[in-house]
Amino acid sequence: MTLWQAEPLPLFQTPEWTRVVGVFDLETTGVDVVNDRIVTAHVGVLDADGQVVDARDWLADPGIEIPAGASAIHGVTTAHARAEGDPAPRVVAEVVEALGALFAAGIPVVAYNAPFDFSMLKYEALRHGVEPIHSPAPVIDPLVVDKTYDRYRRGKRTLSVVAEHYAVPLESAHEACADAVAAGRLALALAEKFGPWMPPTLDELHTRQIAWARAQAASLSEYFVKIGRLDATAAPLDGAWPIR
């Protein structure tokens, strides 16, 4: 006799990739990914419950002055970085190696506003003679995913605001470790809420985010033109994802 068993409801299904995720975040001397430098970095691994199972932090001597405005955000001064930080080439090489190992294992790396962190790392690698990660994959960007599945929600989409919206704790914001872990837990929260509507495979999710990010940049460009923040003849915002 064969016993009947109910099929699980799609609402309670979460994507396979949530079993283990990598997390990545940088704090820097500024927001220019080509010319600014890495100050601190975090690469870690979370399990399905959002618990940290592996992690590493770096403090770099960026080789340039850290502007007071940047220090006010992440708390690292030029004097501290010079006294306690490792040489930037070593830090960049080790971060690239750590991320490469995650990608090689097929583990998705979560990065909030991924093009900033991966582009910054690429230009730092080129600056210091390290082979860069040209096409990071698979990547999950909670910013892009949230904008896609809750497009019309009002308010800012900073990590702290979005984390609060999904009840994800974020202590010590603008520290690479805290931001990276919060972004990873946010990705898990998004998967729990929107999993049944997400692409079925990790590769497809990565590919879809490329299109979603491009569309979001185009929409924001149109809005900026409408409110006069961007000239109609100016180039639209760069929607390349996850690296520029």
Side-chain angles (χ1 to χ4, degrees):
M1 178 178 179
T2 302
L3 296 177
W4 177 84
Q5 292 182 332
E7 292 293 327
L9 293 173
L11 184 60
F12 300 104
Q13 294 178 357
T14 54
E16 189 77 12
W17 55 260
T18 60
R19 292 185 177 184
V20 58
V21 297
V23 296
F24 169 48
D25 187 72
L26 300 174
E27 296 299 327
T28 63
T29 62
V31 297
D32 183 339
V33 298
V34 177
N35 296 306
D36 277 308
R37 310 295 174 87
I38 294 170
V39 178
T40 62
H42 179 89
V43 176
V45 178
L46 308 184
D47 64 16
D49 295 321
Q51 298 302 307
V52 177
V53 296
D54 195 8
R56 184 167 179 189
D57 294 287
W58 291 265
L59 170 63
D61 175 359
I64 63 172
E65 293 283 332
I66 301 174
S71 295
I73 293 173
H74 52 60
V76 181
T77 64
T78 300
H80 178 62
R82 287 176 176 170
E84 304 292 338
D86 290 324
R90 182 196 305 168
V91 170
V92 171
E94 290 178 355
V95 172
V96 168
E97 181 181 15
L99 290 170
L102 293 177
F103 289 134
I107 296 174
V109 174
V110 178
Y112 198 86
N113 190 21
F116 174 81
D117 297 279
F118 283 109
S119 299
M120 176 72 72
L121 182 63
K122 178 184 77 173
Y123 286 107
E124 278 278 65
L126 293 171
R127 180 176 295 114
H128 296 299
V130 176
E131 180 62 28
I133 301 174
H134 292 286
S135 300
V139 172
I140 298 170
D141 189 337
L143 175 60
V144 172
V145 175
D146 176 52
K147 280 183 168 182
T148 297
Y149 288 101
D150 199 356
R151 178 179 178 183
Y152 298 106
R153 189 178 77 250
R154 293 181 179 274
K156 295 181 179 180
R157 302 278 179 148
T158 61
L159 174 58
S160 58
V161 170
V162 177
E164 182 178 5
H165 177 76
Y166 289 98
V168 173
L170 174 55
E171 300 177 1
S172 304
H174 300 298
E175 288 185 4
C177 175
D179 286 359
V181 172
R185 291 172 177 168
L186 178 55
L188 297 176
L190 288 165
E192 183 176 356
K193 183 169 184 177
F194 300 113
W197 297 276
M198 286 184 174
T201 68
L202 184 56
D203 287 345
E204 187 176 352
L205 175 58
H206 179 94
T207 300
R208 290 280 189 90
Q209 287 174 96
I210 296 173
W212 293 342
R214 186 185 306 116
Q216 289 165 8
S219 177
L220 188 58
S221 295
E222 291 177 6
Y223 174 70
F224 281 169
V225 169
K226 183 178 179 180
I227 66 174
R229 185 171 171 179
L230 187 67
D231 189 273
T233 61
L237 300 177
D238 189 347
W241 184 94
I243 194 167
R244 293 171 185 157

